Amino acid sequence: MNRVINVDLGEQSYNIHIGKECLPSLAGLLAGVPRGSRSILVSDDIVFRLYGEQFYEILQSAGLKIEVAVLAGGESCKNLETLGWLYEQMISKGLDRQSTVFALGGGVVGDIAGFAAASFMRGIGYIQLPTSLLAQVDSSVGGKTGVNLSLGKNLVGAFYQPSLVFADVNLLNTLAEKEYQTGLAEVIKYGVIWDSKLFDYLETNIESIKARDMDCLIHIISRCCEIKAEIVAQDEKEKGLRALLNLGHTFGHAFEALTEYKKFTHGQAVAIGMVYATRLAAATDMINEQDAKRVTDLIKNYGLPLHYGDIRPSEIVARMHLDKKNTGGKITLVLPAAIGRSEIVGEIDPAQIEAILI
Ligand SMILES: NC(=O)c1ccc[n+]([C@@H]2O[C@H](COP(=O)([O-])OP(=O)(O)OC[C@H]3O[C@@H](n4cnc5c(N)ncnc54)[C@H](O)[C@@H]3O)[C@@H](O)[C@H]2O)c1
Ligand SMILES: [Zn+2]
């Protein structure tokens, strides 16, 4: 039986299905999906080679006439050029206003295919079929879509909700270890910002989770999706609460950018970002030493890095200034107050941040 979580957004509400070996149940969920004359399965090279045929057959068995578009994959293809190519594929393969886009892959495929669906003929339906841990716990839920510009990440996009998210945890068996770890950093983030029980579970089940035990995965992915659904239902367009999901990210984006996106995966950079957000919170007595140590220990115990290496602290702070949330020379950050509770803190003096960057 799949776990089903509803994202409650009025007319844009949808379900997230999570299960193991649950692919056969997908066809039955597609009965009401708009089908137009053609629909399209969008994937990347690696994922399509592993799972493309299986999904193609399922979609066909649901009575859909399916076309395929395979992207090169990787962050470097999440750009306007790929998007333009995808629109052309959609037109030349005969999609119309009733067609549906199926995004099979990690966050890169989900973000591009979702934005293509948001904008093609002013918007057609799309379904997320996330295959990476990061996509199953984070990017496939909540409707943020978009692409990168050479000037920065995710600068063009739309809030556009899918009509269904379907995650089979068995797909994670083929995920490279560093990609699995990247997802785990986001899972830890949910524990720190929202749910001390999830945090406890991550502490007590380290070996099973590292070994990708399917039942543990269903538990943690379901819990992360429930939390994201709850947050997005209250604040779809990130006017406040949703910003909590950025814990570790302002630091993390600086670490990623200053190492030209080569040294760290996104999750590794976020993990280090959480270590420093926690250190800053401890330095200002916002979190007690014991909780701060638990955050850092958990990150360490999952094999994630704790330090950014040899970047100059002044460069890190300068880069953090570019973040969209800042005002008037001060910096806004999400900081942990306790295990399971974080706050958005504004007006932070940059010198205070530089002082804890050791
Ligand atoms: N929309 C959102 O709310 C949101 C949230 C977080 C991140 N993101 C975006 O997500 C992207 C990162 O997502 P990602 O980490 O999934 O990266 P990704 O899509 O590049 O996938 C990582 C790698 O894993 C491979 N892969 C995926 N599933 C696999 C599987 N089952 N087996 C084997 N290999 C597999 C992919 O081919 C790729 O090489 C970034 O662009 C980020 O901006 C979006
Ligand atoms: Zn992230």
Side-chain angles (χ1 to χ4, degrees), residues 44 46-47 50-51 74-75 78 105-109 111 131-132 134-135 138-139 141 144-145 153-154 171-172 174-176 179 182 186 228 242 266:
D44 72 25
I46 295 175
V47 175
L50 288 165
Y51 302 110
E75 194 65 35
K78 199 176 120 175
V108 165
V109 168
D111 281 11
T131 64
S132 69
L134 181 136
D138 193 354
S139 62
V141 176
K144 276 194 188 176
T145 69
K153 278 188 69 170
N154 300 325
L171 305 182
L172 302 180
T174 51
L175 198 62
E179 301 298 346
T182 261
E186 303 282 1
K228 187 149 186 193
R242 189 167 177 168
H266 172 69

Side-chain angles (χ1 to χ4, degrees), residues 39-275:
S39 289
I40 195 161
L41 177 62
V42 182
S43 192
D44 72 25
D45 198 33
I46 295 175
V47 175
F48 192 76
R49 240 180 293 148
L50 288 165
Y51 302 110
E53 202 171 316
Q54 235 173 318
F55 275 88
Y56 183 87
E57 278 168 18
I58 291 169
L59 299 181
Q60 262 201 333
S61 75
L64 291 145
K65 289 201 186 102
I66 285 290
E67 298 289 342
V68 170
V70 180
L71 320 175
E75 194 65 35
S76 61
C77 90
K78 199 176 120 175
N79 57 29
L80 290 172
E81 200 184 335
T82 308
L83 184 68
W85 174 84
L86 184 53
Y87 291 139
E88 282 164 17
Q89 295 295 305
M90 292 162 83
I91 295 191
S92 64
K93 291 179 192 294
L95 268 73
D96 58 34
R97 299 184 73 171
Q98 267 70 50
S99 297
T100 295
V101 174
F102 292 86
L104 176 67
V108 165
V109 168
D111 281 11
I112 301 177
F115 189 45
S119 45
F120 183 78
M121 297 193 178
R122 299 201 175 82
I124 62 175
Y126 81 111
I127 286 177
Q128 289 277 16
L129 306 169
T131 64
S132 69
L133 180 58
L134 181 136
Q136 294 191 349
V137 297
D138 193 354
S139 62
S140 68
V141 176
K144 276 194 188 176
T145 69
V147 295
N148 304 328
L149 300 182
S150 53
L151 294 172
K153 278 188 69 170
N154 300 325
L155 287 180
V156 179
F159 285 102
Y160 193 67
Q161 302 295 337
S163 56
L164 172 72
V165 179
F166 184 91
D168 184 334
V169 296
N170 285 81
L171 305 182
L172 302 180
N173 273 326
T174 51
L175 198 62
E177 187 57 30
K178 75 172 180 134
E179 301 298 346
Y180 185 65
Q181 271 199 355
T182 261
L184 286 175
E186 303 282 1
V187 173
I188 293 170
K189 176 191 79 179
Y190 284 105
V192 179
I193 61 166
W194 202 260
D195 186 356
S196 61
K197 271 202 192 147
L198 173 63
F199 194 95
D200 293 347
Y201 186 88
L202 296 172
E203 282 181 329
T204 44
N205 292 281
I206 290 179
E207 289 317 314
S208 319
I209 293 169
K210 276 187 172 170
R212 307 188 194 189
D213 175 274
M214 292 294 140
D215 292 314
C216 287
L217 279 171
I218 290 182
H219 177 77
I220 60 178
I221 293 167
S222 303
R223 191 60 200 127
C224 293
C225 286
E226 277 169 5
I227 296 168
K228 187 149 186 193
E230 196 179 333
I231 291 175
V232 168
Q234 290 181 48
D235 179 23
E236 184 190 2
K237 304 259 161 88
E238 198 165 321
K239 305 266 190 269
L241 188 70
R242 189 167 177 168
L244 287 183
L245 294 166
N246 294 326
L247 174 69
H249 280 64
T250 308
F251 283 104
H253 288 151
F255 302 146
E256 282 182 284
L258 292 168
T259 55
E260 273 133 33
Y261 298 91
K262 291 195 183 102
K263 183 166 178 184
F264 304 115
T265 64
H266 172 69
Q268 287 175 327
V270 167
I272 304 166
M274 288 193 285
V275 170

